[in-house]
Amino acid sequence: VYGPSGVGKSTVTRHLAARTLAEESNRAVVPVIWVEARPGDYGTYARLDYYRQVLTALRGHAAVKDRLMQVALTPRPGRKTIDAAEALDLREAVEYALERLQVKAVVIDEAQNMMQVQAPLRPLDQLEWLKSMTNHTQVLHVLVGSYDLFEFRNLNGHAARRGRDIHFSRYHMEDKDERREFTGALHYLLSHIPLVCGVDSLLKERWWFAEWSVGCIGILRDWLVETVAALLAEGQTTLTREALQVHALQAGQRVRLEMEARAGEQRVEKGKAAT
């Protein structure tokens, strides 16, 4: 799942994971885990943070508690790293927990960070590792991140065959259907604002909202929240276009986000044309 910054990828996948967990009636089953790949976890131990987050999420469950509590999630005192044997113990513990708790999917947010490995590891090695984890546990891995994931997913034909792409794109106002959907999303957000708000008049500014949110619903939501919070703190009671303009992205920020989104969209379109 890839798309531009602020389009709502993380929010949607986090909510889907939470809803899936809430709908599971069997408390002994954990259908999905949501983790975040963080930059800085490079080198030989590039996967340790994944292991630690999965084990932290699962180790409190009775079915695996005894086994997982024996696994060290941090280096031994006096050492800065975990050795190969300890890393293997972590992997085996993760595989055991995933199988025992019947996990169906692990969602990895900011997954483009998994590409940032140092020699001797390569980005392709990360995909091979994920393939091995999937084969051994039958757990689907959902990678969520920036457009860099498009290249990550297509490093070779074998990797491309084993995955499915979901392009989480921004709204394009020149498209009639997308313009209607963006307007509907804007109406929903405006109708839930706890201030006096001329919804109909603000909806007439939908092109302006789309321009300054770069067509990304996450940016639009954050913009509205920041504006409303500032107005409430000042004791104001009305949401105006002028107040929204004050809290909009800086022109340079908007241009940068627009450029990155356009570049990513072109990469995806070029990749589709090549196939």
Side-chain angles (χ1 to χ4, degrees):
V1 181
Y2 46 75
S5 175
V7 78
K9 306 178 300 295
S10 299
T11 300
V12 169
T13 53
R14 187 190 292 271
H15 282 307
L16 285 173
R19 189 173 74 180
T20 302
L21 284 168
E23 292 175 349
E24 176 57 60
S25 58
N26 186 350
R27 296 297 94 185
V29 172
V30 181
V32 61
I33 302 171
W34 191 95
V35 301
E36 180 179 334
R38 292 176 290 195
D41 191 26
Y42 308 150
T44 306
Y45 304 103
R47 298 141 194 175
L48 288 185
D49 193 55
Y50 165 89
Y51 296 147
R52 288 168 177 157
Q53 288 193 59
V54 171
L55 292 177
T56 298
L58 298 178
R59 69 189 313 182
H61 290 268
V64 297
K65 188 173 183 178
D66 290 344
R67 167 74 182 271
L68 298 190
M69 285 301 179
Q70 301 174 13
V71 179
L73 301 184
T74 58
R76 295 174 183 173
R79 294 169 49 192
K80 296 182 178 180
T81 61
I82 294 177
D83 62 29
E86 291 170 321
L88 181 59
D89 287 342
L90 285 174
R91 172 168 178 158
E92 290 177 346
V94 166
E95 292 172 343
Y96 170 81
L98 292 176
E99 293 174 357
R100 188 69 184 272
L101 293 172
Q102 302 177 48
V103 177
K104 297 296 186 294
V106 175
V107 181
I108 306 175
D109 195 24
E110 300 294 343
Q112 72 277 357
N113 290 325
M114 296 177 65
M115 296 176 63
Q116 300 172 9
V117 293
Q118 296 177 347
L121 289 178
R122 305 166 299 163
L124 184 58
D125 294 328
Q126 299 294 77
L127 281 181
E128 291 296 326
W129 162 68
L130 282 173
K131 181 186 75 173
S132 175
M133 291 291 295
T134 300
N135 287 343
H136 191 80
T137 62
Q138 296 302 301
V139 172
L140 174 70
H141 283 77
V142 182
L143 308 184
V144 182
S146 69
Y147 281 115
D148 289 337
L149 279 183
F150 182 73
E151 278 74 19
F152 188 33
R153 263 269 297 115
N154 294 280
L155 289 173
N156 62 21
H158 185 63
R161 182 182 66 84
R162 294 184 62 87
R164 295 293 180 270
D165 287 18
I166 297 178
H167 181 196
F168 209 107
S169 62
R170 61 196 178 118
Y171 290 104
H172 298 84
M173 295 297 282
E174 62 272 16
D175 182 278
K176 181 179 179 180
D177 292 335
E178 293 192 27
R179 182 166 65 250
R180 183 177 64 252
E181 292 171 358
F182 179 85
T183 304
L186 176 60
H187 181 274
Y188 175 84
L189 291 171
L190 290 174
S191 65
H192 285 76
I193 287 176
L195 295 170
V196 176
C197 176
V199 174
D200 291 338
S201 62
L202 286 174
L203 284 177
K204 294 178 182 178
E205 304 280 355
R206 58 186 179 276
W207 284 87
W208 177 72
F209 279 105
E211 178 184 5
W212 284 92
S213 65
V214 200
C216 293
I217 199 67
I219 294 176
L220 176 63
R221 179 205 59 197
D222 292 346
W223 177 16
L224 290 172
V225 169
E226 181 180 344
T227 304
V228 170
L231 291 174
L232 289 173
E234 296 168 1
Q236 302 294 321
T237 59
T238 305
L239 177 68
T240 64
R241 189 185 191 278
E242 290 71 26
L244 286 162
Q245 183 67 72
V246 170
H247 295 279
L249 292 170
Q250 297 296 316
Q253 294 174 313
R254 186 186 65 79
V255 169
R256 180 64 180 176
L257 287 166
E258 179 79 30
M259 290 174 59
E260 290 180 356
R262 288 181 179 272
E265 290 165 348
Q266 290 174 2
R267 285 152 68 184
V268 173
E269 289 302 315
K270 183 178 179 181
K272 290 180 178 179
T275 59

